[in-house]
Amino acid sequence: MNDKTSAYIAHVRSDTPKSKQSLATHLSETGQLAAKFASKIGLENIGAVLGLLHDFGKYAREFQAYIQSATHYIEQDDEDWVDATLLRGKIDHSTAGAQYVWIELSNIATKAGQGEICGQILALCIASHHSGLIDCLNEDGVDEDGNTNFTRRMAKPDDKTHLNEAIKNSDQSIKSDIDQKLTKTLVVEMFTKIRTMITLSNSKDSLLSKEDAFTLGLFTRFLFSCLIDADRLNSAEFETPDNKAHRIAQQRYFSWEIAINRLDRKLQSFGEDKPIDKVRSAISDNCFHRSADAPGIYTLSVPTGGGKTFASLRYALNHAKSHNMDRIIYIIPYTSIIEQNAEAVRDIIEQDGDPFSWVLEHHGNIEPEKQTWRSKLAVDNWDAPIVFTTMVQFLEVLFSGGTRGVRRMHQLANAVLIFDEIQTLPINCVHMFSNALNFLSHHANTTALLCTATQPLLDQLPNSEYGQIKLANNAELVDDKSQLFADLKRVDINNRCKPGGWQSEEIVDLINNRYQTTKSCLVIVNTKAWAKTLFEALSNTVDSDALFHLSTNQCAAHRKILLTEIKRRLAEGSPVLCISTQLIEAGVDVDFAHVVRFLAGLDSIAQAAGRCNRNGLLTDQQGKLLSGQVDVVDPAEEPINSLIDIVVGKEKSRRIFDEFEASELLSPPAMDAYYQYFFFDRQADMAYRIGRDTLFNLLANNDQNIGSGINKKRHCQGKLPFLQQSFMAAGKAFKAIDAPTHSVIVPYGEGKEIIDELCNVNKEFNAGHFYRTLKRAQQYSVNVFPNVWHKLQDSGYVNEIQEEGIYFLDERYYSDNFGLSDTTVSLQRCLSL
């Protein structure tokens, strides 16, 4: 190449004049970041190798001509210019580095093929850094020559990968650094870590167990995460240099001691005037005293209204300080709880003048599935001291395909994970979740705290072949759980289910009666259709100022306004009748005198009860404390056949109603019995069934794949088994089977301004501005299930924003009462925007 193109380029910044990042700089800096991330599990050198080799193929002349033409670093009259639009995505720059590490480590003479296993894992990460982890075994299994999908990739011809050319053209400092690291010492270091994770047997009849194979896949994904985040972060910081300054400022000024002092001052301001305040204080103190315990998986089983949020925060802050951990991550089922809890924590921990933001919320699904360069820069990598996210996002980090979610996985290491309302964990993810948590706890210095009033028995699962949670010794942070539940009992559960069920008119009459008696009534149903039906029926008899409807068809900003008004009216004693789906029952801080709950699982009934007499303030005319009342009813008609969790939950709740006295329905023994029945019935679903196979199996030993026999052959030869996972197929199946939702920005309040802003953003992208706008958009988005999404798309009710994979809703399809609608909302009921 001529002098103009002799400097090997990794990226070109979109400024004037165009700034370039040399390939040597990008590889070196990415290696440093990946080394830092991998050092969390003691594999700093492994991370460095991944960073140094991931873009090694960019040293090829063909790629340099492409990138410099694409970025107009060279123009059309240059002899090396090519039509980049025809070559986009067609030049392989990932395989060269993968082949390099595979060849070098495979040829290192180590016992039983240890070099091959280490080489395979690192090669998988490098080869996959644009596509997401590829399949080791794909659906074709093994070809007639005995090659798998992985070995075929490693055998890709040099005229396609340009490995030899890249070696010849590479900067001497980069090549030297790589070769100094790719030694037997590296293999020993990496395999020593692997040996702590899996059990290897000398028996020729014994291969890796499903649990061990699954763990090895998680280990590979963790290293992949270190590479992906390092690569994306370095690219983003080259494009927007201020990003690096912000990251360094956070590292310089961050201290857990500051956050602890601020929380302690807040806790000291709380009074203990009421009996419940004393119980909450005792729970908090207990969490503080246990925070010095060793990292592990713990449970915090506290009845609703017991102050879990501040108690768990106190535990997490002090535990993180004691063990020098990097961050605290709250994983919460519903955005409504995230908004509430994140705001509460932010008000305590953050202060004006702080050089960084302590609290990060990440709960929207605004990020486009197919990322452009602009949207890649806006993706969050959870680099904040305290992160609030959803269980859906957490599971995406661990099991989704592609590269968007996985880049955050390394942030789960050396961290405290607080799972609020853990009972909402999707049943099909139970085994995968349990094994992932075991991996993080036992091999990545992570502590997990499972918080709920209705603790599922994740350490007592019926199918042990697929693994279960391995709790720490003395795992429960509450000293006497049964006494605590007795001390915090504030409601009576009334089983009003009857043969044939309740007709809608009867349910409306019951609600009217309870509301007229107490002027403070919450109704929780299982479906949006029932919520709408009851709201419309009751609007004929209840004053509009007192009647509220809540569902996930309303955006977060809309629900927040409604909940604020509900809480205000409850606090001042004004009448309130709220009709809601189950989004309100887990963790939302509201206190009603009466609750009507449609029959569901006992865990849901217990959570609903937590919204009744929450603060123990109900009294009669003489000032005597009273119990709140929770009526459980079963509607005669309820279209929930597709909601299997609810169907099975209803059946098991009926069994508990028959076996326990009414006064015992919320007790730990009743809940344990419920989960034993529920889990036994659902054990076949816990490994994420997909057709005749399971997602767990695809991510473990993949023994139903026709190519899985390759490991038996290797084992008979005295060699360690190769990885056999179908990572990419599993990632696609996880999204498909989990009925992924599509996020759409709705024109509610500020949402219309955000839509206009995103539609009109300048093509010369300002990453910071786009990031901030997307963050604002999360509050004005609604997640839509596929059947509704297709109807909206087919009818033209949603529009894409500048081909970014981000959509907004036509304002005619958003109602002030019910939120997003797939039919036109009448003009009288449209929001004024």
Side-chain angles (χ1 to χ4, degrees):
M1 302 183 80
N2 61 28
D3 291 339
K4 186 182 293 186
T5 57
S6 60
Y8 295 95
I9 293 174
H11 303 112
V12 177
R13 187 159 58 225
S14 54
D15 55 9
T16 304
K18 294 181 181 299
S19 302
K20 67 177 183 179
Q21 182 187 41
S22 73
L23 183 52
T25 297
H26 177 57
L27 295 180
S28 177
E29 292 180 351
T30 300
Q32 292 168 21
L33 285 169
K36 178 183 176 182
F37 300 154
S39 69
K40 299 174 187 178
I41 59 171
L43 295 179
E44 183 174 351
N45 288 328
I46 301 300
V49 166
L50 290 172
L52 288 167
L53 279 169
H54 79 287
D55 274 353
F56 197 68
K58 288 185 176 181
Y59 277 114
R61 178 188 183 100
E62 184 180 21
F63 185 88
Q64 286 299 308
Y66 159 72
I67 190 172
Q68 296 186 48
S69 300
T71 58
H72 303 289
Y73 199 77
I74 58 176
E75 300 300 337
Q76 192 165 350
D77 58 354
D78 192 287
E79 64 182 73
D80 293 303
W81 183 88
V82 295
D83 189 347
T85 58
L86 299 178
L87 295 175
R88 183 174 178 82
K90 296 182 180 180
I91 301 177
D92 181 354
H93 72 271
S94 301
T95 304
Q99 289 177 326
Y100 197 127
V101 75
W102 168 246
I103 292 168
E104 291 296 316
L105 295 191
S106 294
N107 289 331
I108 290 176
T110 55
K111 182 180 178 181
Q114 294 175 8
E116 289 179 283
I117 298 303
C118 295
Q120 183 191 20
I121 291 173
L122 299 188
L124 277 168
C125 294
I126 294 168
S128 306
H129 80 272
H130 279 288
S131 63
L133 279 172
I134 63 173
D135 293 333
C136 300
L137 295 179
N138 62 10
E139 59 186 8
D140 296 329
V142 177
D143 64 22
E144 58 186 16
D145 297 321
N147 288 312
T148 66
N149 187 59
F150 170 75
T151 55
R152 283 193 292 269
R153 181 72 176 267
M154 293 303 98
K156 194 171 182 179
D158 190 69
D159 64 337
K160 299 295 184 182
T161 69
H162 308 289
L163 172 59
N164 289 320
E165 183 187 359
I167 292 173
K168 179 181 178 181
N169 294 342
S170 61
D171 291 82
Q172 184 58 42
S173 61
I174 297 295
K175 177 71 164 52
S176 176
D177 200 2
I178 292 170
D179 291 342
Q180 286 177 16
K181 288 182 169 59
L182 292 182
T183 64
K184 185 174 181 178
T185 301
L186 186 85
V187 172
V188 171
E189 176 185 338
M190 184 172 174
F191 194 75
T192 299
K193 182 67 176 180
I194 291 174
R195 284 295 300 264
T196 68
M197 301 179 188
I198 62 176
T199 300
L200 296 174
S201 170
N202 293 325
S203 169
K204 290 187 177 182
D205 297 324
S206 176
L207 292 172
L208 290 182
S209 67
K210 284 189 183 296
E211 281 187 79
D212 282 349
F214 192 87
T215 299
L216 204 55
L218 287 168
F219 173 63
T220 303
R221 188 175 177 90
F222 185 91
L223 293 177
F224 184 57
S225 169
C226 296
L227 171 60
I228 294 300
D229 195 31
D231 179 30
R232 304 299 189 262
L233 186 58
N234 182 252
S235 300
E237 290 182 347
F238 168 71
E239 182 70 19
T240 311
D242 287 348
N243 288 0
K244 185 174 183 178
H246 178 81
R247 176 167 60 87
I248 292 173
Q250 176 175 307
Q251 295 170 353
R252 181 179 301 161
Y253 294 105
F254 165 72
S255 166
W256 288 123
E257 191 69 39
I258 295 172
I260 290 170
N261 290 337
R262 291 173 181 177
L263 175 61
D264 286 346
R265 285 196 294 271
K266 180 67 174 180
L267 294 177
Q268 289 167 10
S269 70
F270 291 160
E272 293 189 8
D273 301 331
K274 301 183 291 293
I276 195 171
D277 294 331
K278 295 179 181 180
V279 176
R280 290 169 176 168
S281 179
I283 294 169
S284 175
D285 289 344
N286 218 50
C287 286
F288 169 72
H289 294 310
R290 293 292 304 275
S291 65
D293 289 3
I297 304 176
Y298 295 87
T299 59
L300 179 60
S301 306
V302 175
T304 53
K308 290 195 304 293
T309 300
F310 287 149
S312 62
L313 178 63
R314 192 178 182 192
Y315 170 86
L317 289 173
N318 284 280
H319 187 80
K321 177 191 172 186
S322 295
H323 300 284
N324 196 29
M325 291 179 164
D326 296 330
R327 64 186 39 81
I328 297 164
I329 303 177
Y330 274 87
I331 299 98
I332 297 177
Y334 306 121
T335 58
S336 55
I337 316 176
I338 288 182
E339 296 147 14
Q340 170 187 287
N341 291 1
E343 184 175 1
V345 172
R346 189 179 290 112
D347 287 345
I348 295 171
I349 303 300
E350 292 190 353
Q351 292 184 4
D352 293 340
D354 288 343
F356 60 89
S357 297
W358 284 87
V359 179
L360 167 71
E361 289 181 62
H362 183 227
H363 50 72
N365 196 27
I366 291 295
E367 298 165 15
E369 286 299 315
K370 294 182 179 179
Q371 294 177 323
T372 65
W373 174 246
R374 288 188 278 167
S375 60
K376 280 179 181 177
L377 295 182
V379 171
D380 230 323
N381 70 341
W382 290 2
D383 188 14
I386 303 174
V387 177
F388 282 83
T389 190
T390 63
M391 179 62 82
V392 170
Q393 293 284 352
F394 180 79
L395 294 173
E396 286 278 329
V397 166
L398 293 170
F399 307 122
S400 69
T403 62
R404 185 179 68 181
V406 69
R407 69 175 290 188
R408 305 173 184 124
M409 184 178 176
H410 74 90
Q411 305 287 32
L412 304 178
N414 200 39
V416 185
L417 309 182
I418 307 294
F419 293 91
D420 197 8
E421 311 298 352
I422 185 60
Q423 80 283 352
T424 61
L425 173 70
I427 194 73
N428 59 353
C429 294
V430 163
H431 285 303
M432 297 196 303
F433 171 85
S434 298
N435 282 273
L437 216 55
N438 290 337
F439 167 79
L440 292 169
S441 173
H442 301 150
H443 307 296
N445 195 44
T446 294
T447 287
L449 185 60
L450 312 180
C451 302
T452 181
T454 54
Q455 198 70 241
L457 306 177
L458 297 178
D459 61 326
Q460 301 177 41
L461 300 178
N463 194 339
S464 59
E465 179 188 10
Y466 293 99
Q468 57 192 4
I469 289 283
K470 297 174 183 176
L471 296 174
N473 292 328
N474 192 23
E476 177 54 60
L477 299 189
V478 171
D479 285 338
D480 188 340
K481 189 163 63 172
S482 295
Q483 184 60 50
L484 177 62
F485 275 71
D487 291 342
L488 286 175
K489 185 178 183 301
R490 306 178 302 283
V491 300
D492 295 328
I493 305 295
N494 307 310
N495 175 19
R496 301 195 181 280
C497 298
K498 60 184 181 180
W502 289 62
Q503 298 300 321
S504 59
E505 296 83 359
E506 294 177 302
I507 296 174
V508 170
D509 289 342
L510 174 68
I511 294 169
N512 260 320
N513 177 272
R514 299 298 187 243
Y515 171 68
Q516 295 302 329
T517 301
T518 63
K519 296 299 182 183
S520 172
C521 183
L522 171 65
V523 181
I524 304 178
V525 298
N526 295 322
T527 66
K528 295 174 185 177
W530 259 110
K532 185 176 181 181
T533 296
L534 291 178
F535 180 89
E536 290 178 331
L538 290 160
S539 63
N540 297 321
T541 58
V542 178
D543 184 79
S544 61
D545 290 341
L547 184 61
F548 296 86
H549 167 278
L550 292 172
S551 84
T552 53
N553 275 349
Q554 297 156 319
C555 67
H558 191 172
R559 294 197 306 270
K560 184 176 181 179
I561 288 174
L562 294 172
L563 279 167
T564 299
E565 178 63 8
I566 289 170
K567 292 177 183 179
R568 185 192 68 78
R569 293 179 66 90
L570 288 172
E572 67 181 22
S574 298
V576 179
L577 174 56
C578 178
I579 315 298
S580 177
T581 58
Q582 52 266 50
L583 71 87
I584 200 172
E585 71 186 7
V588 179
D589 189 7
V590 289
D591 191 348
F592 286 83
H594 200 100
V595 170
V596 177
R597 181 57 167 101
F598 276 25
L599 181 64
L602 189 63
D603 56 332
S604 293
I605 294 170
Q607 293 295 335
R611 308 319 116 196
C612 182
N613 197 22
R614 185 177 181 83
N615 295 310
L617 300 179
L618 283 181
T619 60
D620 61 16
Q621 293 180 345
Q622 285 73 43
K624 181 182 177 181
L625 291 175
L626 298 175
S627 292
Q629 300 299 308
V630 178
D631 291 325
V632 179
V633 300
D634 191 10
E637 295 182 6
E638 191 177 28
I640 58 170
N641 289 338
S642 62
L643 305 175
I644 303 302
D645 287 355
I646 296 177
V647 172
V648 177
K650 288 175 65 170
E651 178 190 343
K652 303 313 172 188
S653 290
R654 291 183 193 276
R655 182 172 177 179
I656 297 297
F657 287 163
D658 290 339
E659 294 179 1
F660 286 82
E661 298 292 331
S663 61
E664 299 175 322
L665 290 176
L666 298 184
S667 68
M671 195 58 60
D672 288 352
Y674 167 78
Y675 274 115
Q676 290 283 4
Y677 302 152
F678 184 83
F679 279 172
F680 184 83
D681 255 28
R682 301 298 305 278
Q683 61 179 305
D685 301 326
M686 290 182 180
Y688 211 121
R689 183 158 298 282
I690 45 174
R692 295 164 60 183
D693 205 346
T694 66
L695 202 64
F696 187 98
N697 191 52
L698 289 181
L699 293 172
N701 51 23
N702 208 4
D703 54 14
Q704 293 194 36
N705 189 290
I706 58 174
S708 62
I710 190 172
N711 269 347
K712 295 180 181 178
K713 181 178 180 181
R714 281 181 58 82
H715 198 66
C716 289
Q717 296 171 344
K719 291 187 176 181
L720 294 164
F722 276 137
L723 272 70
Q724 300 188 138
Q725 288 85 350
S726 293
F727 290 113
M728 186 169 287
K732 292 177 181 178
F734 179 76
K735 288 180 177 295
I737 303 299
D738 200 39
T741 57
H742 298 266
S743 191
V744 57
I745 306 171
V746 298
Y748 172 84
E750 191 182 344
K752 186 174 184 181
E753 174 188 324
I754 290 171
I755 291 169
D756 291 341
E757 201 168 331
L758 289 172
C759 287
N760 294 308
V761 67
N762 194 299
K763 287 290 185 180
E764 290 297 323
F765 175 55
N766 180 318
H769 175 69
F770 190 72
Y771 172 87
R772 289 188 296 272
T773 306
L774 278 184
K775 291 289 289 181
R776 288 163 56 208
Q778 288 186 352
Q779 293 291 311
Y780 298 90
S781 65
V782 172
N783 290 330
V784 180
F785 284 100
N787 59 324
V788 176
W789 176 252
H790 294 317
K791 184 174 181 180
L792 291 172
Q793 275 199 314
D794 293 344
S795 304
Y797 303 160
V798 293
N799 300 280
E800 188 174 7
I801 296 175
Q802 296 200 38
E803 299 182 352
E804 288 284 350
I806 301 169
Y807 293 82
F808 69 91
L809 181 72
D810 187 311
E811 64 185 85
R812 293 171 296 174
Y813 299 91
Y814 196 86
S815 159
D816 54 353
N817 284 333
F818 306 113
L820 182 145
S821 173
D822 57 8
T823 58
T824 307
V825 178
S826 65
L827 293 178
Q828 291 78 14
R829 299 179 63 185
C830 276
L831 287 165
S832 57
L833 300 169

